[in-house]
Amino acid sequence: MPGKLKVKIVAGRHLPVMDRASDLTDAFVEVKFGNTTFKTDVYLKSLNPQWNSEWFKFEVDDEDLQDEPLQITVLDHDTYSANDAIGKVYIDIDPLLYSEAATVISGWFPIYDTIHGIRGEINVIVKVDLFNDLNRFRQSSCGVKFFCTTSIPKCYRAVIIHGFVEELVVNEDPEYQWIDRIRTPRASNEARQRLISLMSGELQRKIGLKVLEMRGNAVVGYLQCFDLEGESGLVVRAIGTACTLDKLSSPAAFLPACNSPSKEMKEIPFNEDPNPNTHSSGPSTPLKNQTYSFSPSKSYSRQSSSSDTDLSLTPKTGMGSGSAGKEGGPFKALLRQQTQSALEQREFPFFTLTAFPPGFLVHVGGVVSARSVKLLDRIHNPDEPETRDAWWAEIRQEIKSHAKALGCHAVVGYSESTSICEEVCILSASGTAAVLNPRFLQDGTVEGCLEQRLEENLPAGCGFCHIPYDELNMPFPAHLTYCYNCRKQKVPDVLFTTIDLPADAAVVGKGCLIQARLCRLKKKAQAEANATAISNLLPFMEYEVHTQLMNKLKLKGMNALFGLRIQITVGENMLMGLASATGVYLAALPTPGGIQIAGKTPNDGSYEQHISHMQKKINDTIAKNKELYEISPPEISEEVIGSPIPEPRQRSRLLRSQSESSDEVTELDLSHGKKDAFVLEIDDTDALEDVHSLLTDVPPPPGFYSCNTEIMPGINNWTSEIQMFTSVRVIRLSSLNLTNQALNKHFNDLCENLLKSLYFKLRSMIPCCLCHVNFTVSLPEDELIQVTVTAVAITFDKNQALQTTKTHVEKSLQRASTDNEELLQFPLELCSESLPSHPFPPAKEHLESASSNSGIPAAQRATSVDYSSFADRCSSWIELIKLKAQTIRRGSIKTTVTVEKASPVGEGNFRNRSAPPCANSTVGVVRMTPLSFIPGAKITKYLGIINMFFIRETTSLREEGGVSGFLHAFIAEVFAMVRAHVAALGGNAVVSYIMKQCVFMENPNKNQAQCLINVSGDAVVFVRESDLEVVSTQQPTANCQPLCTGGEVTT
Amino acid sequence: MTSELDIFVGNTTLIDEDVYRLWLDGYSVSDAVALRVRSGILEQTGATAAVLQSDTMDHYRTFHMLERLLHAPPKLLHQLIFQIPPSRQALLIERYYAFDEAFVREVLGKKLSKGTKKDLDDISTKTGITLKSCRRQFDNFKRVFKVVEEMRGSLVDNIQQHFLLSDRLSRDYAAIVFFANNRFETGKKKLQYLSFGDFAFCAELMIQNWTLGAVDSQVDDMDVDLDKEFLQDLKELKVLVADKDLLDLHKSLVCTTLRGKLSVFSEMEANFKNLSRGLVNVAAKLTHNKDVRDLFVDLVEKFVEPCRSDHWPLNDVRLFLNQYSASVHSLDGFRHQALWDRYMGTLRGCLLRLYHD
């Protein structure tokens, strides 16, 4: 569908001097879109030209609108020779293509040159007139909204979460060997920037089409990455979660600043007036072979299905049909039982989300990950990127089977990454196996969890911990106990996940960042030999990373990891592994045992002494950590402890018959779960090193906390000061006689020192928490290790830091239920009995329909890991946990809400609504944060995705302050360009900001360096919560701080 | 293991005031680190020397990048690269343009030329201020001078507008520019007792009363150049000392009024003619550029020193000068009352400021 793109060039400022004679510049501007170019007049002799051009109009179709960036080039007019380029601005006009986002792009953009960096600014106005009405337009891929945020965006509610979308496009890299082409660097850099911009536009459009096919209208958790494969080409790939989102009509949902997005979830409208934007308006399934049957006899009501319906274990597909739903009443849409659930039929039941609406996540099984080593080959036909597709499909298949082995039908917190060195590429994928509540999934019948009895409502905050797998067929040995919270269901002793801590999880004390770091030397080799060597090393690395994580977790006295991200990086002569996660003490899980050291030679007296000394140190550290992180789980009464945990043996005998056939699972046992106290055997120097390195991790200085999740478990009283930062370090190893130990130590020191520096730099913000700490390791050259960290420091109010999460959760639940009762999209409870009279909305049909039995076909369970199967292939470990159906019943929550409590809240909302937005927007302060929220503020509008790719190159490295000066300036420029684009869209913040790539190459001998940076995020408008009714009742500091001071950071 | 690259970039640019001061003072990174270590920061924060080194490097790099913008402060406000809250921007600018008393005394009244810049080595050795810091201060003076030199309008306002300095600092710069333009001698030994503040005070009075801008606010260089016509006219004042009758009458008028009011009356009476001759001759000489430069030397020699050697209290000086200038109005034969007031009004203020130990 065609549209008219209109561009006006207003003025420039701070232009560089292009004519040495006059110290001035004769600047003009070229505006290019697709193949059409317009020019402004030359504005003679000024560094601050006022072009004030006419409106340049481009008539284009929507495919171009989506793919092409608007290119603005500023040039210096030269009568006698060629005009000199000053620099360029690329503007992604995508945000103008959806109705709710920005309507105009207008502002000062930095003029960027890949050689000189930012050279002045240009003021541009861009508008798009769409010829057809917006509704029709939305049928095309243009209308699909994209969000980087890995949760349901704040001012939306999820009507349906459809599931995984992925796409990749490949092309030749215009500059596959940058150093070779150094002579025309500007041209090749620009060609590359333009190409990548085009490719990401195309990718986004293609993903959009898939979303529309699924009848969604948005992609959440959109993650787009570039693989610079060198000579074999350039791959741009993206994954995301397709959703149908509904914009909340008014800012009624007035929420605490730092809560999880989940609280914004609303109930599905239960009555007859259908929400036109929900899926209910049409058959809502991607499955082509769908059939519907309407049979009153088969209609289940919530009442009838009582306790066991919701989380039915049956491999059945419930498909809702809108028409049936709307007709309501007696005609319940009922679905054919199918042998496989819809989720199952979905190619990949993956979700890139890390935080969920309440009730969505039923059980968590554990981390699933898969890696594969591939040899890169030139991509012969860019239009048919089958090889790359096949590679990823293979990995995803494996992830899926891992999840199944854990008794889970879905994978959440899913992400993919690559590491490339020369022609070897490691593809990695990881996620958290989970059982989801199908009600959100449109077509989802749940399959997979066997125990469904929900005798009574369980306390909130532990359900997700309950094991989803059959304890008799545990895919790995684990030590199960009854949940310490509800005493009803089994839980594992530790829980590893890639998602954020659920908002309602009951946590003791605070969390902390836990990292495992590991290096392994590897012989230099070529091609297949190299790939084989890497494949052989990977399992050992995975194992060690896991062991380190486990040790460190125990050392902290904690029992669960969230946000786990393991990165394996391949270099010429080494492999690096870096795992980051946030450790917490989950109240539902058992207290972790200590760590015991055992020597191999118990007779040696002095050795014994050494061991016991070390043991003491470890015990002291654990005690200290418990104090530091305020971990003091409530004492468990005798009676409870004594609660009968059936003898495993007995149980298995008892139930063996039920588990019909369980293939042997060839899992690598990583769980270490069997012992109460964890035993470390010190049998060689290696192990000794390990123990030492355990103890060398220094806790953050007082007043500092750190985590790599969105929010810090145990802290919920954020104040409004935030400081996002990126820090990069590169160290050069002296190549002589490097051993694994020495390498480990260097790497460990590098990371530790980096953290220490961060704490020091941000000391003026104390008390504060580093959130979303994201480490990236790369090995740019033989002896270089590069670590890049992006995080945000958020201040909090120490005086209220003691508030427990529990009350936080309670209050927020109350809030959710009181504030939004009529808006609630989803009932807070999973049980069905309390909803007697509503006609069933189609989205839920499937739920009720699937009440029967039959677990996972046993054969599917055994398909986990097989290390030895492929030379180029390395499957990884599966970490596990368990679960049990947990529910919050609506009734129970309602009763906690009193009218008195509800009314002030309502008033607060009203005030907030009527209050004009803070007149903050002075001179365009733009906040940036990797989080999905801004403390003390409310996001009112999403303006579109920011996805930018920059190349910077220099041939005068020394003059620019060496590598540090060069990169420092470049990153500052990237921030500036992101902020400028957000400001031009009318926004004042970027949330879910991520620096996906920072590829740095240097050649000091030639005085050259080059860097590529790819960043993305969501441009938003936020307003301060001037009088906010936060969870914590008195939080004056957060409220009264004027907006403009919030970002002020001093040291 | 060596650190090849080590950077930290915040969305809001971090500014450490202490490090900024060290940077402005011209310390090298290693010196700055040593000084920070001595300040006890390691003990307070539990950081290591390596952390401090990295932090200092980082700040220095940031300041280095900011320096270009600080040369034209309005650019700092409009640039997009560094997101800095307004209060911090003001602090950066104010501190960058701040100068050392010891340094400014060395340079005040000198031509802000390459030649002077070469002498910065000596100044650095003499004052103990690092050469780097001397250079920055000198370049600041020169930069401000260049920008406002030929501008019309109030000197202080121009400086404030183009460099976004505080009122206090703008006034100081106005004095520096004024002194540099008129090349007043301030370095002579006998002037050493005077502070920059003393000169700045005089400069302000002179700008207000003796420049072109004092009579016409629409001329170029209005506040920078002295009013040539006025200086020429000052020759007319000579009659006050050349005409014996007038001088006697003037003296008797002053003495009559001040009798019994001064502790140093007799000394005053004895010195009246010398002092009056001194003050009037200073005025008469101002037609020559060379003598304009020596204005402060002359004032100190002809007035401050004689009074000081007779131990006049400051209050007596004030009474004397008031009476001395006022009495002229009663001299019937003297026709240049307005000229006298313009001259003496400013001079009286200056002399009172200059009269101290």
mmCIF file of all heavy atoms in Angstrom, chain A residues 534-546:
data_model
loop_
_atom_site.group_PDB
_atom_site.id
_atom_site.type_symbol
_atom_site.label_atom_id
_atom_site.label_comp_id
_atom_site.label_asym_id
_atom_site.label_seq_id
_atom_site.Cartn_x
_atom_site.Cartn_y
_atom_site.Cartn_z
ATOM 1 N N ILE A 534 36.918 -28.188 19.269
ATOM 2 C CA ILE A 534 35.989 -27.354 20.036
ATOM 3 C C ILE A 534 34.838 -28.198 20.571
ATOM 4 O O ILE A 534 34.471 -28.102 21.737
ATOM 5 C CB ILE A 534 35.464 -26.202 19.157
ATOM 6 C CG1 ILE A 534 36.616 -25.256 18.816
ATOM 7 C CG2 ILE A 534 34.351 -25.456 19.853
ATOM 8 C CD1 ILE A 534 36.288 -24.255 17.739
ATOM 9 N N SER A 535 34.309 -29.028 19.705
ATOM 10 C CA SER A 535 33.196 -29.882 20.142
ATOM 11 C C SER A 535 33.600 -30.736 21.326
ATOM 12 O O SER A 535 32.823 -30.969 22.235
ATOM 13 C CB SER A 535 32.759 -30.804 19.012
ATOM 14 O OG SER A 535 32.473 -30.069 17.873
ATOM 15 N N ASN A 536 34.832 -31.205 21.285
ATOM 16 C CA ASN A 536 35.283 -32.056 22.371
ATOM 17 C C ASN A 536 35.436 -31.288 23.673
ATOM 18 O O ASN A 536 35.235 -31.829 24.753
ATOM 19 C CB ASN A 536 36.611 -32.726 22.001
ATOM 20 C CG ASN A 536 36.415 -33.740 20.900
ATOM 21 O OD1 ASN A 536 35.289 -34.200 20.657
ATOM 22 N ND2 ASN A 536 37.492 -34.084 20.213
ATOM 23 N N LEU A 537 35.806 -30.030 23.552
ATOM 24 C CA LEU A 537 36.016 -29.234 24.759
ATOM 25 C C LEU A 537 34.708 -28.786 25.396
ATOM 26 O O LEU A 537 34.618 -28.621 26.604
ATOM 27 C CB LEU A 537 36.844 -27.993 24.427
ATOM 28 C CG LEU A 537 38.359 -28.140 24.503
ATOM 29 C CD1 LEU A 537 39.026 -26.884 23.988
ATOM 30 C CD2 LEU A 537 38.776 -28.403 25.949
ATOM 31 N N LEU A 538 33.725 -28.570 24.568
ATOM 32 C CA LEU A 538 32.497 -27.945 25.065
ATOM 33 C C LEU A 538 31.849 -28.640 26.266
ATOM 34 O O LEU A 538 31.526 -27.982 27.245
ATOM 35 C CB LEU A 538 31.479 -27.803 23.927
ATOM 36 C CG LEU A 538 31.732 -26.608 23.004
ATOM 37 C CD1 LEU A 538 30.713 -26.590 21.879
ATOM 38 C CD2 LEU A 538 31.673 -25.301 23.774
ATOM 39 N N PRO A 539 31.699 -29.969 26.217
ATOM 40 C CA PRO A 539 31.031 -30.598 27.363
ATOM 41 C C PRO A 539 31.771 -30.360 28.664
ATOM 42 O O PRO A 539 31.159 -30.140 29.707
ATOM 43 C CB PRO A 539 31.043 -32.086 27.014
ATOM 44 C CG PRO A 539 31.376 -32.173 25.577
ATOM 45 C CD PRO A 539 32.027 -30.919 25.162
ATOM 46 N N PHE A 540 33.079 -30.360 28.588
ATOM 47 C CA PHE A 540 33.851 -30.135 29.803
ATOM 48 C C PHE A 540 33.654 -28.716 30.312
ATOM 49 O O PHE A 540 33.588 -28.469 31.505
ATOM 50 C CB PHE A 540 35.331 -30.430 29.551
ATOM 51 C CG PHE A 540 35.558 -31.859 29.181
ATOM 52 C CD1 PHE A 540 35.715 -32.240 27.864
ATOM 53 C CD2 PHE A 540 35.565 -32.830 30.175
ATOM 54 C CE1 PHE A 540 35.900 -33.566 27.533
ATOM 55 C CE2 PHE A 540 35.754 -34.164 29.851
ATOM 56 C CZ PHE A 540 35.917 -34.538 28.526
ATOM 57 N N MET A 541 33.587 -27.813 29.384
ATOM 58 C CA MET A 541 33.387 -26.427 29.793
ATOM 59 C C MET A 541 32.020 -26.256 30.431
ATOM 60 O O MET A 541 31.875 -25.629 31.472
ATOM 61 C CB MET A 541 33.517 -25.507 28.589
ATOM 62 C CG MET A 541 34.925 -25.509 28.045
ATOM 63 S SD MET A 541 35.265 -24.091 27.030
ATOM 64 C CE MET A 541 35.041 -22.736 28.142
ATOM 65 N N GLU A 542 31.038 -26.858 29.797
ATOM 66 C CA GLU A 542 29.686 -26.760 30.342
ATOM 67 C C GLU A 542 29.655 -27.318 31.755
ATOM 68 O O GLU A 542 29.067 -26.752 32.661
ATOM 69 C CB GLU A 542 28.710 -27.561 29.474
ATOM 70 C CG GLU A 542 28.659 -27.102 28.038
ATOM 71 C CD GLU A 542 27.452 -26.225 27.768
ATOM 72 O OE1 GLU A 542 26.837 -25.774 28.744
ATOM 73 O OE2 GLU A 542 27.145 -26.004 26.586
ATOM 74 N N TYR A 543 30.309 -28.423 31.893
ATOM 75 C CA TYR A 543 30.308 -29.080 33.191
ATOM 76 C C TYR A 543 30.963 -28.197 34.238
ATOM 77 O O TYR A 543 30.446 -27.989 35.319
ATOM 78 C CB TYR A 543 31.042 -30.420 33.101
ATOM 79 C CG TYR A 543 31.053 -31.165 34.399
ATOM 80 C CD1 TYR A 543 29.985 -31.971 34.769
ATOM 81 C CD2 TYR A 543 32.133 -31.052 35.278
ATOM 82 C CE1 TYR A 543 29.974 -32.642 35.979
ATOM 83 C CE2 TYR A 543 32.131 -31.717 36.496
ATOM 84 C CZ TYR A 543 31.056 -32.513 36.840
ATOM 85 O OH TYR A 543 31.034 -33.167 38.030
ATOM 86 N N GLU A 544 32.103 -27.646 33.866
ATOM 87 C CA GLU A 544 32.817 -26.843 34.853
ATOM 88 C C GLU A 544 32.100 -25.554 35.182
ATOM 89 O O GLU A 544 32.089 -25.097 36.322
ATOM 90 C CB GLU A 544 34.227 -26.537 34.338
ATOM 91 C CG GLU A 544 35.152 -27.698 34.586
ATOM 92 C CD GLU A 544 36.601 -27.286 34.502
ATOM 93 O OE1 GLU A 544 36.944 -26.245 35.097
ATOM 94 O OE2 GLU A 544 37.364 -27.966 33.817
ATOM 95 N N VAL A 545 31.528 -24.949 34.144
ATOM 96 C CA VAL A 545 30.766 -23.732 34.381
ATOM 97 C C VAL A 545 29.646 -24.027 35.365
ATOM 98 O O VAL A 545 29.412 -23.305 36.316
ATOM 99 C CB VAL A 545 30.186 -23.194 33.052
ATOM 100 C CG1 VAL A 545 29.071 -22.204 33.309
ATOM 101 C CG2 VAL A 545 31.284 -22.550 32.229
ATOM 102 N N HIS A 546 29.026 -25.143 35.122
ATOM 103 C CA HIS A 546 27.922 -25.513 35.987
ATOM 104 C C HIS A 546 28.382 -25.767 37.412
ATOM 105 O O HIS A 546 27.761 -25.335 38.378
ATOM 106 C CB HIS A 546 27.235 -26.749 35.421
ATOM 107 C CG HIS A 546 26.068 -27.156 36.236
ATOM 108 N ND1 HIS A 546 26.167 -28.045 37.258
ATOM 109 C CD2 HIS A 546 24.792 -26.754 36.194
ATOM 110 C CE1 HIS A 546 24.983 -28.183 37.811
ATOM 111 N NE2 HIS A 546 24.140 -27.421 37.190
#
